[in-house]
Amino acid sequence: MTAFATEVLLFGGVITTLPFLLDREYGVSLVFSGGVITAAEVASAVVAAGNGRLAQRFSDERLIALGYVCYGVGLLVAGAAASLVLVVAGAMALGAGIGLTMPSVDALLSDLVSAEYRAGALSIRNSVTFLGRAVGPILFAGIAATTGYRPLLLAAGVAGLLGVPLTLALSR
């Protein structure tokens, strides 16, 4: 579920929506929009690189919950931003959330599944991730057509924050 939700939020909420928001609200070029998305991906890579150290101090479930906090806050900031700098900061917070959740989901799944079935379980997780990438843009483009981009990002931010109690409840 985390992998699916992550990809729906990332590819639906940011990749699909953010360039239109940036164009409409700030008149920036597609190159700049691509740079914002790249900044999110760089933030993801930097945080993921340190995920092993974090995993030594915190459980995978807590890191996933923290990742959802980053998703929620990042999307809320991007959706409510009064300046371009805040949109970029929100996108980077979303990227940091991805860097926290995705390695933690893989580690948790690897711990939960015996070695005999691990490859199959991780393949299912990977398939679900790509399914989220397919569903996200369709879902968010349809919603954005009726609500606009800012309300869409704000709603996605709330959805991201709802992942926190859900993740913690499921981990008990």
Side-chain angles (χ1 to χ4, degrees):
M1 285 182 63
T2 297
F4 181 77
T6 298
E7 296 303 319
V8 167
L9 288 173
L10 172 66
F11 283 89
V14 176
I15 302 294
T16 302
T17 304
L18 199 54
F20 294 103
L21 174 71
L22 290 170
D23 178 49
R24 179 176 287 164
E25 300 286 327
Y26 302 103
V28 301
S29 69
L30 289 176
V31 172
F32 187 88
S33 292
V36 174
I37 294 166
T38 299
E41 294 294 342
V42 168
S44 175
V46 168
V47 171
N51 195 284
R53 284 195 195 122
L54 290 171
Q56 292 173 350
R57 298 187 65 200
F58 304 103
S59 69
D60 291 320
E61 294 89 353
R62 290 202 182 266
L63 291 176
I64 292 166
L66 181 58
Y68 274 122
V69 169
C70 291
Y71 295 156
V73 170
L75 287 165
L76 288 171
V77 166
S83 75
L84 192 54
V85 171
L86 288 175
V87 174
V88 174
M92 291 180 73
L94 179 71
I98 294 163
L100 286 168
T101 57
M102 297 314 275
S104 299
V105 166
D106 286 345
L108 182 62
L109 190 57
S110 292
D111 288 344
L112 293 173
V113 178
S114 68
E116 182 180 21
Y117 298 106
R118 193 168 295 141
L122 289 170
S123 294
I124 291 169
R125 200 264 325 142
N126 197 41
S127 297
V128 167
T129 297
F130 287 113
L131 180 62
R133 288 181 183 186
V135 169
I138 295 166
L139 176 68
F140 276 66
I143 295 170
T146 59
T147 66
Y149 297 106
R150 285 187 183 274
L152 177 62
L153 290 173
L154 294 172
V158 171
L161 291 175
L162 290 175
V164 175
L166 180 64
T167 298
L168 295 175
L170 291 174
S171 68
R172 294 179 193 258

